[in-house]
Short mmCIF file of all heavy atoms in Angstrom, two decimals:
data_model
loop_
_atom_site.label_atom_id
_atom_site.label_comp_id
_atom_site.label_asym_id
_atom_site.label_seq_id
_atom_site.Cartn_x
_atom_site.Cartn_y
_atom_site.Cartn_z
N GLU A 84 13.73 -17.38 12.91
CA GLU A 84 14.47 -16.19 12.51
C GLU A 84 14.97 -16.31 11.07
O GLU A 84 14.94 -15.33 10.31
CB GLU A 84 15.65 -15.90 13.45
CG GLU A 84 15.19 -15.43 14.82
CD GLU A 84 16.32 -15.36 15.83
OE1 GLU A 84 17.38 -15.98 15.59
OE2 GLU A 84 16.13 -14.69 16.84
N ARG A 85 15.44 -17.50 10.69
CA ARG A 85 15.89 -17.70 9.31
C ARG A 85 14.72 -17.57 8.33
O ARG A 85 14.86 -17.02 7.26
CB ARG A 85 16.53 -19.08 9.13
CG ARG A 85 17.96 -19.13 9.61
CD ARG A 85 18.73 -20.32 9.06
NE ARG A 85 18.06 -21.58 9.27
CZ ARG A 85 18.31 -22.44 10.26
NH1 ARG A 85 19.27 -22.15 11.12
NH2 ARG A 85 17.65 -23.56 10.39
N ARG A 86 13.54 -18.09 8.72
CA ARG A 86 12.35 -17.95 7.84
C ARG A 86 11.95 -16.49 7.70
O ARG A 86 11.59 -16.05 6.59
CB ARG A 86 11.21 -18.77 8.40
CG ARG A 86 11.38 -20.25 8.20
CD ARG A 86 10.18 -21.03 8.68
NE ARG A 86 10.36 -22.44 8.43
CZ ARG A 86 9.43 -23.34 8.72
NH1 ARG A 86 8.30 -23.00 9.25
NH2 ARG A 86 9.67 -24.61 8.48
N LEU A 87 12.00 -15.75 8.77
CA LEU A 87 11.69 -14.33 8.71
C LEU A 87 12.70 -13.59 7.86
O LEU A 87 12.36 -12.69 7.09
CB LEU A 87 11.60 -13.72 10.09
CG LEU A 87 10.37 -14.13 10.94
CD1 LEU A 87 10.48 -13.58 12.37
CD2 LEU A 87 9.09 -13.64 10.28
N SER A 88 13.96 -13.96 7.98
CA SER A 88 15.00 -13.33 7.15
C SER A 88 14.77 -13.65 5.67
O SER A 88 14.93 -12.75 4.79
CB SER A 88 16.37 -13.82 7.60
OG SER A 88 17.38 -13.33 6.79
N ALA A 89 14.40 -14.88 5.36
CA ALA A 89 14.11 -15.24 3.97
C ALA A 89 12.91 -14.46 3.46
O ALA A 89 12.90 -14.02 2.31
CB ALA A 89 13.86 -16.76 3.88
N ARG A 90 11.90 -14.28 4.31
CA ARG A 90 10.73 -13.53 3.90
C ARG A 90 11.07 -12.06 3.67
O ARG A 90 10.55 -11.41 2.75
CB ARG A 90 9.63 -13.67 4.97
CG ARG A 90 8.39 -12.88 4.70
CD ARG A 90 7.59 -13.47 3.56
NE ARG A 90 6.31 -12.77 3.46
CZ ARG A 90 5.77 -12.40 2.32
NH1 ARG A 90 6.34 -12.72 1.18
NH2 ARG A 90 4.65 -11.73 2.31
N ARG A 91 12.01 -11.52 4.44
CA ARG A 91 12.47 -10.15 4.24
C ARG A 91 13.14 -10.01 2.89
O ARG A 91 12.91 -9.04 2.17
CB ARG A 91 13.45 -9.75 5.33
CG ARG A 91 12.88 -8.78 6.30
CD ARG A 91 13.82 -8.46 7.39
NE ARG A 91 14.71 -7.37 6.99
CZ ARG A 91 15.69 -6.94 7.76
NH1 ARG A 91 15.92 -7.50 8.93
NH2 ARG A 91 16.41 -5.93 7.37
N ARG A 92 14.01 -10.95 2.53
CA ARG A 92 14.65 -10.93 1.21
C ARG A 92 13.63 -11.02 0.10
O ARG A 92 13.72 -10.32 -0.91
CB ARG A 92 15.66 -12.08 1.11
CG ARG A 92 16.96 -11.82 1.85
CD ARG A 92 18.01 -12.84 1.47
NE ARG A 92 17.61 -14.23 1.67
CZ ARG A 92 17.68 -14.88 2.83
NH1 ARG A 92 18.14 -14.28 3.90
NH2 ARG A 92 17.31 -16.14 2.90
N GLN A 93 12.63 -11.88 0.30
CA GLN A 93 11.58 -12.05 -0.72
C GLN A 93 10.80 -10.77 -0.91
O GLN A 93 10.53 -10.35 -2.03
CB GLN A 93 10.64 -13.18 -0.27
CG GLN A 93 9.52 -13.46 -1.24
CD GLN A 93 8.57 -14.50 -0.70
OE1 GLN A 93 8.50 -14.75 0.51
NE2 GLN A 93 7.84 -15.12 -1.58
N THR A 94 10.41 -10.12 0.19
CA THR A 94 9.67 -8.87 0.05
C THR A 94 10.51 -7.74 -0.54
O THR A 94 10.01 -6.91 -1.28
CB THR A 94 9.08 -8.42 1.40
OG1 THR A 94 10.13 -8.29 2.35
CG2 THR A 94 8.03 -9.39 1.89
N ARG A 95 11.83 -7.74 -0.23
CA ARG A 95 12.70 -6.73 -0.83
C ARG A 95 12.75 -6.87 -2.33
O ARG A 95 12.57 -5.89 -3.06
CB ARG A 95 14.10 -6.84 -0.24
CG ARG A 95 15.05 -5.77 -0.80
CD ARG A 95 16.47 -5.91 -0.29
NE ARG A 95 17.05 -7.14 -0.84
CZ ARG A 95 17.71 -8.07 -0.12
NH1 ARG A 95 17.85 -7.89 1.18
NH2 ARG A 95 18.18 -9.14 -0.67
N LEU A 96 12.90 -8.10 -2.82
CA LEU A 96 12.91 -8.35 -4.25
C LEU A 96 11.55 -7.99 -4.89
O LEU A 96 11.50 -7.43 -5.97
CB LEU A 96 13.27 -9.79 -4.56
CG LEU A 96 14.71 -10.20 -4.24
CD1 LEU A 96 14.90 -11.70 -4.42
CD2 LEU A 96 15.67 -9.44 -5.12
N ALA A 97 10.50 -8.32 -4.21
CA ALA A 97 9.15 -8.01 -4.72
C ALA A 97 8.94 -6.49 -4.83
O ALA A 97 8.34 -6.03 -5.80
CB ALA A 97 8.07 -8.64 -3.83
N VAL A 98 9.41 -5.74 -3.84
CA VAL A 98 9.27 -4.29 -3.90
C VAL A 98 9.96 -3.73 -5.13
O VAL A 98 9.36 -2.96 -5.90
CB VAL A 98 9.81 -3.62 -2.61
CG1 VAL A 98 9.97 -2.11 -2.81
CG2 VAL A 98 8.91 -3.89 -1.44
N TYR A 99 11.19 -4.15 -5.36
CA TYR A 99 11.92 -3.62 -6.51
C TYR A 99 11.33 -4.10 -7.83
O TYR A 99 11.31 -3.35 -8.82
CB TYR A 99 13.38 -4.00 -6.39
CG TYR A 99 14.09 -3.24 -5.25
CD1 TYR A 99 14.84 -3.92 -4.34
CD2 TYR A 99 13.87 -1.89 -5.08
CE1 TYR A 99 15.45 -3.25 -3.27
CE2 TYR A 99 14.49 -1.22 -4.03
CZ TYR A 99 15.26 -1.91 -3.14
OH TYR A 99 15.85 -1.22 -2.10
N ALA A 100 10.82 -5.32 -7.86
CA ALA A 100 10.18 -5.81 -9.08
C ALA A 100 8.90 -5.05 -9.39
O ALA A 100 8.65 -4.63 -10.53
CB ALA A 100 9.88 -7.32 -8.96
N TYR A 101 8.08 -4.84 -8.36
CA TYR A 101 6.83 -4.06 -8.55
C TYR A 101 7.15 -2.61 -8.92
O TYR A 101 6.48 -2.04 -9.81
CB TYR A 101 5.98 -4.09 -7.28
CG TYR A 101 5.15 -5.33 -7.13
CD1 TYR A 101 5.27 -6.14 -6.01
CD2 TYR A 101 4.21 -5.69 -8.07
CE1 TYR A 101 4.49 -7.27 -5.84
CE2 TYR A 101 3.43 -6.79 -7.94
CZ TYR A 101 3.58 -7.59 -6.81
OH TYR A 101 2.79 -8.70 -6.66
N LEU A 102 8.12 -2.03 -8.27
CA LEU A 102 8.48 -0.66 -8.64
C LEU A 102 9.01 -0.55 -10.07
O LEU A 102 8.69 0.39 -10.79
CB LEU A 102 9.49 -0.08 -7.66
CG LEU A 102 8.96 0.38 -6.33
CD1 LEU A 102 10.07 0.87 -5.41
CD2 LEU A 102 7.92 1.48 -6.49
N GLY A 103 9.82 -1.52 -10.46
CA GLY A 103 10.34 -1.53 -11.82
C GLY A 103 9.23 -1.64 -12.83
O GLY A 103 9.19 -0.92 -13.84
N ALA A 104 8.28 -2.55 -12.58
CA ALA A 104 7.14 -2.70 -13.49
C ALA A 104 6.28 -1.45 -13.51
O ALA A 104 5.82 -1.01 -14.56
CB ALA A 104 6.30 -3.92 -13.08
N ALA A 105 6.10 -0.83 -12.36
CA ALA A 105 5.29 0.40 -12.30
C ALA A 105 5.96 1.52 -13.09
O ALA A 105 5.28 2.29 -13.79
CB ALA A 105 5.06 0.82 -10.86
N ILE A 106 7.25 1.63 -12.99
CA ILE A 106 7.97 2.69 -13.73
C ILE A 106 7.91 2.45 -15.23
O ILE A 106 7.62 3.38 -15.99
CB ILE A 106 9.44 2.79 -13.24
CG1 ILE A 106 9.47 3.38 -11.81
CG2 ILE A 106 10.28 3.62 -14.18
CD1 ILE A 106 10.82 3.29 -11.15
N VAL A 107 8.08 1.18 -15.64
CA VAL A 107 7.97 0.87 -17.06
C VAL A 107 6.56 1.19 -17.59
O VAL A 107 6.39 1.78 -18.66
CB VAL A 107 8.34 -0.62 -17.33
CG1 VAL A 107 7.94 -1.06 -18.72
CG2 VAL A 107 9.84 -0.81 -17.11
N LEU A 108 5.57 0.82 -16.83
CA LEU A 108 4.19 1.11 -17.23
C LEU A 108 3.88 2.58 -17.21
O LEU A 108 3.13 3.11 -18.04
CB LEU A 108 3.19 0.32 -16.40
CG LEU A 108 3.14 -1.16 -16.70
CD1 LEU A 108 2.32 -1.90 -15.67
CD2 LEU A 108 2.59 -1.41 -18.08
N TRP A 109 4.45 3.31 -16.26
CA TRP A 109 4.24 4.75 -16.22
C TRP A 109 4.86 5.41 -17.44
O TRP A 109 4.24 6.29 -18.03
CB TRP A 109 4.83 5.31 -14.93
CG TRP A 109 4.52 6.78 -14.78
CD1 TRP A 109 3.36 7.32 -14.36
CD2 TRP A 109 5.41 7.83 -15.09
NE1 TRP A 109 3.47 8.69 -14.38
CE2 TRP A 109 4.71 9.05 -14.83
CE3 TRP A 109 6.73 7.93 -15.56
CZ2 TRP A 109 5.27 10.29 -15.02
CZ3 TRP A 109 7.28 9.16 -15.76
CH2 TRP A 109 6.56 10.34 -15.50
N VAL A 110 6.05 4.99 -17.81
CA VAL A 110 6.67 5.54 -19.02
C VAL A 110 5.85 5.18 -20.24
O VAL A 110 5.63 6.00 -21.16
CB VAL A 110 8.13 5.01 -19.16
CG1 VAL A 110 8.71 5.33 -20.51
CG2 VAL A 110 8.99 5.61 -18.06
N SER A 111 5.32 3.97 -20.27
CA SER A 111 4.45 3.57 -21.36
C SER A 111 3.18 4.42 -21.41
O SER A 111 2.72 4.83 -22.47
CB SER A 111 4.08 2.06 -21.22
OG SER A 111 3.17 1.69 -22.20
N TRP A 112 2.62 4.70 -20.23
CA TRP A 112 1.45 5.57 -20.15
C TRP A 112 1.80 6.96 -20.67
O TRP A 112 1.02 7.56 -21.41
CB TRP A 112 0.96 5.64 -18.71
CG TRP A 112 -0.04 6.73 -18.50
CD1 TRP A 112 -1.38 6.69 -18.78
CD2 TRP A 112 0.20 8.02 -17.96
NE1 TRP A 112 -1.97 7.87 -18.45
CE2 TRP A 112 -1.01 8.73 -17.94
CE3 TRP A 112 1.34 8.68 -17.50
CZ2 TRP A 112 -1.14 10.02 -17.48
CZ3 TRP A 112 1.21 9.95 -17.03
CH2 TRP A 112 0.00 10.62 -17.02
N LEU A 113 2.93 7.47 -20.25
CA LEU A 113 3.35 8.82 -20.69
C LEU A 113 3.51 8.84 -22.21
O LEU A 113 3.04 9.80 -22.87
CB LEU A 113 4.65 9.16 -19.99
CG LEU A 113 5.11 10.61 -20.06
CD1 LEU A 113 4.05 11.52 -19.39
CD2 LEU A 113 6.44 10.78 -19.38
N TYR A 114 4.11 7.82 -22.78
CA TYR A 114 4.26 7.74 -24.22
C TYR A 114 2.90 7.70 -24.93
O TYR A 114 2.68 8.40 -25.91
CB TYR A 114 5.08 6.48 -24.61
CG TYR A 114 5.16 6.28 -26.09
CD1 TYR A 114 6.03 7.01 -26.88
CD2 TYR A 114 4.38 5.32 -26.72
CE1 TYR A 114 6.09 6.84 -28.22
CE2 TYR A 114 4.42 5.11 -28.06
CZ TYR A 114 5.29 5.88 -28.81
OH TYR A 114 5.34 5.69 -30.18
N GLU A 115 1.99 6.87 -24.39
CA GLU A 115 0.66 6.77 -25.00
C GLU A 115 -0.09 8.11 -24.91
O GLU A 115 -0.79 8.49 -25.80
CB GLU A 115 -0.17 5.69 -24.30
CG GLU A 115 0.13 4.30 -24.75
CD GLU A 115 -0.34 4.04 -26.17
OE1 GLU A 115 -1.41 4.55 -26.57
OE2 GLU A 115 0.37 3.34 -26.87
N ALA A 116 0.06 8.80 -23.78
CA ALA A 116 -0.65 10.06 -23.59
C ALA A 116 -0.12 11.17 -24.51
O ALA A 116 -0.87 12.01 -24.94
CB ALA A 116 -0.53 10.50 -22.12
N ILE A 117 1.18 11.13 -24.81
CA ILE A 117 1.76 12.19 -25.60
C ILE A 117 1.79 11.87 -27.09
O ILE A 117 1.41 12.70 -27.90
CB ILE A 117 3.21 12.49 -25.11
CG1 ILE A 117 3.17 13.08 -23.69
CG2 ILE A 117 3.94 13.43 -26.04
CD1 ILE A 117 4.53 13.22 -23.05
N ALA A 118 2.18 10.65 -27.44
CA ALA A 118 2.45 10.35 -28.86
C ALA A 118 1.26 9.91 -29.65
O ALA A 118 1.24 10.10 -30.87
CB ALA A 118 3.53 9.29 -28.93
N SER A 119 0.26 9.39 -29.03
CA SER A 119 -0.89 8.85 -29.77
C SER A 119 -1.90 9.96 -30.11
O SER A 119 -2.12 10.85 -29.33
CB SER A 119 -1.60 7.76 -28.96
OG SER A 119 -0.74 6.72 -28.71
N PRO A 120 -2.51 9.83 -31.29
CA PRO A 120 -3.56 10.78 -31.61
C PRO A 120 -4.78 10.56 -30.74
O PRO A 120 -5.01 9.48 -30.25
CB PRO A 120 -3.88 10.49 -33.09
CG PRO A 120 -3.45 9.06 -33.27
CD PRO A 120 -2.32 8.84 -32.33
N GLY A 121 -5.55 11.61 -30.56
CA GLY A 121 -6.72 11.52 -29.67
C GLY A 121 -7.80 10.62 -30.25
O GLY A 121 -8.24 10.79 -31.37
N SER A 122 -8.23 9.64 -29.46
CA SER A 122 -9.33 8.76 -29.85
C SER A 122 -9.80 8.04 -28.61
O SER A 122 -9.18 8.09 -27.55
CB SER A 122 -8.87 7.74 -30.91
OG SER A 122 -7.96 6.83 -30.35
N TYR A 123 -10.95 7.37 -28.77
CA TYR A 123 -11.47 6.59 -27.62
C TYR A 123 -10.58 5.40 -27.29
O TYR A 123 -10.43 5.05 -26.14
CB TYR A 123 -12.89 6.10 -27.93
CG TYR A 123 -13.89 7.25 -27.91
CD1 TYR A 123 -14.59 7.58 -29.05
CD2 TYR A 123 -14.14 7.94 -26.74
CE1 TYR A 123 -15.51 8.61 -29.04
CE2 TYR A 123 -15.05 8.98 -26.72
CZ TYR A 123 -15.74 9.32 -27.86
OH TYR A 123 -16.63 10.32 -27.85
#
Side-chain angles (χ1 to χ4, degrees):
E84 289 172 343
R85 279 198 309 262
R86 286 184 179 181
L87 288 173
S88 176
R90 178 71 173 138
R91 253 177 87 182
R92 283 191 304 276
Q93 181 185 21
T94 56
R95 182 183 67 228
L96 291 174
V98 166
Y99 292 131
Y101 279 122
L102 282 178
I106 289 169
V107 166
L108 286 171
W109 185 79
V110 169
S111 176
W112 168 80
L113 194 61
Y114 175 77
E115 280 290 323
I117 293 172
S119 298
S122 69
Y123 288 117

